[in-house]
Amino acid sequence: MTLTTMSEAIGRVRAVGAFNLVQLEMAEAIVAGAEQAGCPAILQISQNAVRFHGALTPLALAALAVAERAAVPIVVHLDHATDEALIDEAIALGVPSVMYDGAHLPDEENVARTAAVAVRAHEAGVWVEAELGEVGGKDGAHAPGVRTDPEEAARFVAATGVDALAVAVGSSHAMRTREAALDEGLIRRIAESAPVPLVLHGSSGVPDAGLDGAVLAGMRKINIGTHIGAVFTRTMRERLIADPELVDPRKCVAPAREATADEVSRLLRLISLGER
Ligand code: G3H
Ligand code: ZN
């Protein structure tokens, strides 16, 4: 098993967990969690994470290398890219899946730009995810009232040729509590209407039962960032408080990596295998 494609990963389980990473040890934790669960997983690098590092190449090559030595199928995915040049760069580096995020644009422009990205990506055999109906919350402003219309979703997929669609069904990005209530009826209606795998963003704010319900209703890719970042940071904080004299960063990063792997494994068993 190794670096794989999105269609291969999605075809193996009822839904695939996609986890955001900001540094090497989070990529290692996500892959270790996937190996523990025996499930495929997605390593996601967001445009924001790229901006943090100042470049895509170091993080993308690290993620691709970690994926290649994994014991389960792993996809590397560029997440929430609004910069089309960054998408081209990811494709050139061998990243097999990208998200073009035009959800903030006027509808017509979102369709035109997404369709153009899809043509270029497909020429290179790369999977394309797009977003319709802004999930919101990336800049601190939650948009819990925004919803994707099922018929519009079908028209958007037909007009753009995308392979997967992120939809707004009640979650918001960067929630620190897991209390979002998803509209499962709406997920069902969109899944019936749009002929591509649906993606749930902002899944950190969704409780376990809600994640299971979302998958049963038709979600095929579940994006989790804030929650696993919180597990990583909390574990480092505990370690640093327990040993204020600690100087070797590995002494706090290793337990954080381990705790994150355990939580990724638990979430994958829920999302991909339906174990609760
Ligand atoms: O694209 C990334 C996800 O939607 C993560 O959202 O940080 O709220 O879990 P989250
Ligand atoms: Zn997202």
Side-chain angles (χ1 to χ4, degrees):
M1 295 302 157
T2 181
L3 175 69
T4 192
T5 60
M6 193 67 87
S7 52
E8 157 76 8
I10 283 188
R12 279 177 176 256
V13 280
R14 63 179 204 149
V16 187
F19 302 92
N20 287 79
L21 59 106
V22 293
Q23 90 281 45
L24 171 63
E25 291 82 356
M26 287 192 73
E28 292 167 341
I30 295 159
V31 168
E35 287 171 339
Q36 274 175 42
C39 293
I42 300 161
L43 296 176
Q44 298 200 139
I45 301 170
S46 71
Q47 181 172 295
N48 282 340
V50 174
R51 298 286 177 255
F52 170 75
H53 287 281
L56 171 65
T57 307
L59 201 52
L61 292 187
L64 289 164
V66 170
E68 266 158 19
R69 59 194 283 272
V72 289
I74 301 289
V75 184
V76 176
H77 172 82
L78 177 68
D79 190 34
H80 283 295
T82 55
D83 176 353
E84 292 171 47
L86 185 62
I87 291 184
D88 294 337
E89 204 184 324
I91 294 171
L93 284 171
V95 172
S97 177
V98 297
M99 175 191 188
Y100 174 65
D101 183 353
H104 57 288
L105 298 169
D107 282 352
E108 254 176 54
E109 196 177 342
N110 188 11
V111 169
R113 287 181 180 272
T114 303
V117 167
V119 168
R120 294 206 300 282
H122 289 162
E123 276 168 12
V126 167
W127 174 280
V128 180
E129 174 183 330
E131 180 169 319
L132 180 68
E134 201 173 356
V135 174
K138 286 200 292 292
D139 304 315
H142 287 194
V146 176
R147 295 289 183 275
T148 300
D149 176 73
E151 284 170 19
E152 222 180 293
R155 282 196 295 274
F156 183 84
V157 170
T160 58
V162 293
D163 304 293
L165 188 65
V167 290
V169 293
S171 58
S172 277
H173 285 103
M175 285 180 72
R176 295 168 70 163
T177 54
R178 301 180 73 201
E179 59 195 12
L182 300 181
D183 187 338
E184 290 176 13
L186 177 60
I187 298 172
R188 278 200 182 82
R189 291 197 298 284
I190 303 173
E192 275 162 22
S193 159
V196 292
L198 300 183
V199 184
L200 182 65
H201 280 247
S203 309
S204 291
V206 182
D208 282 0
L211 293 177
D212 190 40
V215 173
L216 291 172
M219 284 290 175
R220 302 298 312 282
K221 175 173 177 267
I222 305 291
N223 283 13
I224 302 176
T226 305
H227 176 66
I228 59 155
V231 171
F232 196 96
T233 309
R234 186 169 58 239
T235 311
M236 282 205 299
R237 185 183 302 116
E238 285 165 3
R239 202 57 203 92
L240 291 169
I241 290 171
D243 184 359
E245 304 302 318
L246 192 153
V247 290
D248 183 343
R250 289 172 296 185
K251 294 282 188 326
C252 63
V253 169
R257 182 173 59 183
E258 212 173 297
T260 305
D262 289 346
E263 181 61 357
V264 165
S265 169
R266 191 190 73 77
L267 287 164
L268 282 175
R269 285 196 301 269
L270 170 71
I271 291 164
S272 301
L273 308 176
E275 288 176 15
R276 292 183 60 194

